[in-house]
């Protein structure tokens, strides 16, 4: 596809009417930053319009990039297990990412995750804002530092403030916790078990406000 000139904001690719299907369709053609050239496809958020909880991660991973669906890889499976353990109905949730293309670099035959930069996050942010506007979730959960800082400001520290409800204009309840992929990357089994337990505890706090 020939490249369209871009002003570096996803907003220029917005449809006339903001609905989830029209946003998803429009996002498929987004070229507001260079990541569209690297990823296989745009990975837009998924879930129903009336979802009560919105989970926001950093960006799609390898499996998400190939399938076009968010949170379907190992981290997504861990999130699903955590939701089940915390007693949160998966159908009440909407899952998405701050950046909607997979940023990666080659290592041998593998594609290794590369953190999106500030310009890419800023270019992609209008899609997330539009998702928030359409869904109006009661609870937003930022997963990991990139999502937390994009939603709650650059000074926010997940290490210090995870699992706390933060006052925000974005939704009645806003919380940040770790990204499940960080649990999978834990250096040993004991740390992984501990981090997994803390993650479930955070999800249980979330479950309490959903009652
Ligand atoms: S990462 Fe976001 S802003 Fe960049 S091309 Fe993809 S959808 Fe557009």
């Amino acid at each position: 596809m020939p490249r369209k000139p871009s002003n570096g904001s996803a907003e220029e690719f917005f449809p006339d009417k903001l609905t989830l299907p029209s946003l998803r369709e429009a996002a498929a053609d987004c070229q507001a930053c260079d990541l569209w050239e690297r990823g296989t496809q745009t990975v837009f958020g998924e879930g129903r319009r009336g979802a009560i909880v919105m989970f926001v991660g950093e960006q799609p991973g390898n499996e998400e990039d190939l399938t076009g669906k968010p949170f379907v890889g190992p981290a997504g499976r861990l999130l699903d297990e955590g939701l089940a353990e915390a007693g949160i109905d998966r159908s009440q949730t909407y899952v998405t990412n701050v950046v909607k293309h997979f940023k990666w670099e080659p290592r041998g035959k593998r594609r290794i995750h590369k953190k999106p930069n500030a310009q890419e996050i800023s270019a992609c942010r209008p899609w997330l804002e539009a998702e928030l506007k359409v869904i109006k979730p009661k609870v937003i959960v930022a997963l990991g530092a990139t999502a937390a800082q994009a939603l709650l400001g650059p000074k926010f520290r997940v290490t210090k403030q995870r699992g706390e409800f933060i006052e925000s204009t974005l939704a009645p309840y806003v919380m940040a916790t770790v990204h499940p992929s960080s649990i999978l990357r834990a250096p040993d089994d004991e740390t992984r078990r501990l981090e997994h337990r803390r993650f479930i505890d955070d999800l249980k706090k979330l479950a309490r406000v959903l009652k």
Side-chain angles (χ1 to χ4, degrees), residues 41-63:
Q41 57 196 312
T42 306
V43 182
F44 204 70
E46 221 171 67
R48 59 188 182 88
R49 189 168 173 257
I52 298 168
V53 190
M54 184 190 273
F55 286 96
V56 184
E58 181 192 83
Q59 62 165 340
N62 189 58
E63 280 187 48

Side-chain angles (χ1 to χ4, degrees), residues 3 6 8-11 13 26-37 41-44 60 98-102 116 119-127:
R3 183 161 193 176
S6 167
S9 169
E11 211 164 346
F13 296 88
D29 292 330
C30 182
Q31 298 181 351
C33 78
D34 290 343
L35 295 183
W36 73 273
E37 289 177 294
Q41 57 196 312
T42 306
V43 182
F44 204 70
V98 168
V99 167
K100 292 183 170 39
H101 269 98
F102 179 35
Q119 201 181 349
E120 290 151 357
I121 291 169
S122 161
C124 210
R125 191 181 173 87
W127 293 124

Side-chain angles (χ1 to χ4, degrees), residues 112-143:
I112 302 297
H113 160 274
K114 197 162 184 239
K115 202 173 150 61
N117 63 34
Q119 201 181 349
E120 290 151 357
I121 291 169
S122 161
C124 210
R125 191 181 173 87
W127 293 124
L128 178 61
E129 286 170 356
E131 288 172 299
L132 282 167
K133 204 179 272 182
V134 172
I135 292 162
K136 298 185 187 68
K138 178 180 176 187
V139 188
I140 300 172
V141 184
L143 298 169

